[in-house]
Amino acid sequence: MDQARILVVDDERDYNETIVKRLRRRGFEAETALSGPEALELLSAKSFDVALLDIMMPGMDGIEVLRELKKRTPEVEVILLTGHASVESGVLGMSIGANSYLLKPVDFDELLAAIGQAYERKRLSGSGS
């Protein structure tokens, strides 16, 4: 079974690198972006199946990135992550097109399950690789 190509977007470098390392150990092709603009640049240059977006980032937050990402690459499934529990931001993100919404620190098995579900959704929609 092929693995999802994942973009991890979070301004917390250590957190971001840890998630990417753990995903790569599981066989995923994972890359990191430390800001919204960097994420959008990577999405223009490379193909991803799933994006993990931190909501609370300086400058362009995860909701803004989600809006722009869905305009440019609507086929990419998005999982929102935040350390700040906010039902409103989760509901807003889901209404814009996020696949799911998880609270940080996220349980890694829960994250893997959400990635699997998002990737399957993309494959069933016919926009998978």
Side-chain angles (χ1 to χ4, degrees):
M1 182 173 135
D2 62 333
Q3 293 278 29
R5 294 162 295 180
I6 303 169
L7 177 60
V8 183
V9 187
D10 196 310
D11 63 309
E12 295 176 41
R13 184 180 299 272
D14 291 343
Y15 181 82
N16 206 346
E17 289 176 355
T18 298
I19 294 293
V20 167
K21 271 185 202 170
R22 293 184 76 182
L23 289 171
R24 287 180 178 161
R25 274 192 223 129
R26 297 286 182 120
F28 291 98
E29 185 180 317
E31 294 204 31
T32 182
L34 297 173
S35 68
E38 184 182 347
L40 294 173
E41 192 175 309
L42 271 171
L43 284 160
S44 296
K46 297 182 175 183
S47 178
F48 293 95
D49 299 303
V50 178
L52 307 179
L53 286 180
D54 184 27
I55 291 179
M56 299 296 285
M57 294 188 289
M60 187 177 206
D61 69 21
I63 296 295
E64 291 175 79
V65 176
L66 173 62
R67 280 194 176 104
E68 195 59 37
L69 181 154
K70 285 297 179 182
K71 283 184 205 167
R72 296 180 187 191
T73 54
E75 71 280 4
V76 175
E77 294 292 336
V78 175
I79 299 168
L80 294 172
L81 303 173
T82 186
H84 308 276
S86 165
V87 174
E88 291 81 16
S89 59
V91 170
L92 175 60
M94 299 291 279
S95 73
I96 298 170
N99 184 285
S100 59
Y101 178 82
L102 300 173
L103 298 178
K104 289 171 35 182
V106 64
D107 176 84
F108 196 68
D109 289 332
E110 185 180 0
L111 179 62
L112 289 175
I115 290 170
Q117 183 216 27
Y119 186 48
E120 187 63 21
R121 181 176 162 173
K122 181 180 180 193
R123 290 169 51 103
L124 291 174
S125 74
S127 57
S129 54

